[in-house]
Amino acid sequence: MNILTKPKPAAPAKRQLTPGQRREINWGLIFLSPWIVGFLIFTAIPMVVSLVMSFTNYNPIQADATRFVAFQNYGRIFDDPQVFNAVGVTLRFVLISVPLSIILPLGLALLVNAKQLLGKNVFRTLFYMPYMIPVVAGVMVWGGILNSDSGWLNRFLQWALGVQGPQWLQDENWVLTALAIMGFWGVGNTMLIMLAGLQNVPTELYEAAKVDGATAPRMFLSITVPMISPIIFYNLTLSLIGTFQYFTQAYIISNGRGDPNGATMFYNLYLYKTAFAFLDMGYGATLAWMMFIVVLLLTVLLFKTQNRWVYYAGGND
């Protein structure tokens, strides 16, 4: 029996670049070179150095005693009770902060996108402006607002509800909630992205739904949420990564000590103290790489779930 085999397609001829195309490529590389050099100096090389350092007992004061310890630092993580405390603090904050970082900007975006709202541009500007304020200045302002004795928030609770507010920054049961409230200060950027997504939803879908008698909550759940699900997914990914990197606010309110009673000793803060206060650079680099691996796995897991709840008009492929 003769077997007919399909002839292999001929390899495409190598494309010859014209002098003009080579010149464009060279200029493109020249303009990209500052970014490439910066990436190598400030990101790629430090990452490689920290990976190598994680397999040593490097201490800058005793640099001569540096030796290769293989995976000893990685095993030390599982015997360090401070690591488990820091992971617990970080995870509790993730559970509080990440859902609110999606729900609150979405609610504000719906508000400033409502047809009935007068002065939309004024409200959009007002909600976005706090995002422009530096984080340190924002934390100092919120430190005054959340002051248990003279803060505006407790005074408002006393006036409106007749209750004495908690000691937001001194009570270990309330300090994470206080930090989450501080995070509301900077939701303006996420709100703008959500607003752009809302304005791209085709109005024909709402008009067809109204003809079918759909209620407003039904249209929100069946039209708005699916149509802006890529925007929600994008912000959810950024929020998850950013929350695991939480550091500045916790460092400022506790002067890096993790007060009260270790309730603000986030993983990143413990990593910083280990590497730059105790100068245990090898172990600090190991903590950094463990966090990188965990966040990378969670991000990959999040991407794996997008086929189940994220709608792309052009398909998921």
Side-chain angles (χ1 to χ4, degrees), residues 76-150:
R76 181 180 162 189
I77 289 177
F78 298 98
D79 297 327
D80 187 349
Q82 292 292 333
V83 169
F84 289 98
N85 176 65
V87 169
V89 170
T90 305
L91 289 179
R92 283 198 295 275
F93 187 67
V94 167
L95 293 176
I96 296 172
S97 178
V98 171
L100 293 176
S101 69
I102 299 298
I103 294 172
L104 184 62
L106 178 58
L108 292 176
L110 289 170
L111 175 66
V112 298
N113 195 45
K115 294 179 180 177
Q116 299 80 5
L117 182 67
L118 299 176
K120 294 178 184 177
N121 292 334
V122 174
F123 283 102
R124 290 170 185 173
T125 305
L126 290 176
F127 287 137
Y128 183 77
M129 281 177 65
Y131 178 74
M132 304 300 292
I133 296 176
V135 175
V136 175
V139 173
M140 299 302 288
V141 170
W142 276 99
I145 295 173
L146 297 173
N147 187 289
S148 56
D149 296 323
S150 59

Side-chain angles (χ1 to χ4, degrees), residues 147-149 153-155 157-158 162-168 174:
N147 187 289
S148 56
D149 296 323
L153 184 55
N154 277 5
R155 289 192 176 191
L157 292 175
Q158 180 71 38
V163 298
Q164 178 63 40
Q167 294 186 332
W168 295 99
W174 283 98

Side-chain angles (χ1 to χ4, degrees), residues 100-106 108-109 127-128 131 186-197 231-232 234-236 238-239:
L100 293 176
S101 69
I102 299 298
I103 294 172
L104 184 62
L106 178 58
L108 292 176
F127 287 137
Y128 183 77
Y131 178 74
V187 299
N189 190 50
T190 308
M191 180 206 70
L192 278 188
I193 297 173
M194 292 281 193
L195 179 62
I231 305 294
I232 296 175
Y234 168 77
N235 285 302
L236 179 62
L238 292 186
S239 178

Side-chain angles (χ1 to χ4, degrees), residues 300-311:
V300 170
L301 182 63
L302 198 57
F303 270 82
K304 290 289 184 184
T305 66
Q306 67 170 329
N307 289 335
R308 297 178 180 274
W309 63 277
V310 180
Y311 169 74

Side-chain angles (χ1 to χ4, degrees), residues 19-34:
Q21 289 174 326
R22 289 197 188 95
R23 188 164 52 251
E24 287 183 2
I25 292 173
N26 291 336
W27 275 111
L29 291 175
I30 289 173
F31 282 114
L32 280 175
S33 59

Side-chain angles (χ1 to χ4, degrees), residues 202-226:
T203 56
E204 295 84 0
L205 298 176
Y206 294 113
E207 292 168 359
K210 286 180 182 177
V211 171
D212 292 338
T215 60
R218 181 66 177 174
M219 287 191 286
F220 174 73
L221 295 175
S222 300
I223 298 176
T224 305
V225 172

